[in-house]
Amino acid sequence: MMPTTQPRDLLEDEAPLPNYTGNTALVLGVVAVMMLGCPWLPDPVPAWMRYFPLYLVLPTGICAALAGAITLRSMRGQADADRRRAQAGILFGSIAIIVPLAVIAWACWQLRDI
């Protein structure tokens, strides 16, 4: 004789799936900051691969900051929402916006006497 067991519902026993909101902002921000380092790649890397990403840093940083702000706004009122990814995306996006603008301002200041 076989023991009788109740069928177990697997979905009831498992923990809820993690909430992945803010990943877009985080990924865009990290990619934008990583693109700032492309000019320092080794010389065997083609020049277009070292300098072309610099043209995309500012737009990618702006997209990261906007995506993070939109995500934070959509999470307003949710007590269980994890806002760290969106905040990190805003931080990295802001870094990717401020650094190129600071370099351009410095270059203009240095070149004004020439």
Side-chain angles (χ1 to χ4, degrees):
M1 177 169 241
M2 296 188 80
T4 60
T5 59
Q6 296 262 341
R8 198 174 94 188
D9 189 9
L10 296 177
L11 294 177
E12 290 178 5
D13 295 340
E14 293 180 10
L17 294 175
N19 191 358
Y20 290 117
T21 55
N23 277 352
T24 304
L26 179 62
V27 169
L28 283 172
V30 169
V31 166
V33 170
M34 286 174 43
M35 284 192 288
L36 288 172
C38 284
W40 290 281
L41 289 173
D43 285 336
V45 177
W48 69 269
M49 198 178 293
R50 289 188 311 204
Y51 296 110
F52 179 71
L54 291 178
Y55 294 109
L56 303 175
V57 169
L58 201 58
T60 309
I62 291 170
C63 289
L66 284 176
I70 291 170
T71 302
L72 281 178
R73 179 135 175 115
S74 70
M75 282 193 261
R76 185 180 292 176
Q78 297 177 8
D80 61 342
D82 187 17
R83 293 170 171 79
R84 288 181 289 182
R85 288 186 190 97
Q87 291 169 346
I90 291 173
L91 174 71
F92 286 131
S94 299
I95 290 170
I97 292 169
I98 291 170
V99 169
L101 293 179
V103 169
I104 290 170
W106 174 80
C108 290
W109 181 67
Q110 289 293 325
L111 296 173
R112 71 171 184 219
D113 293 332
I114 294 181

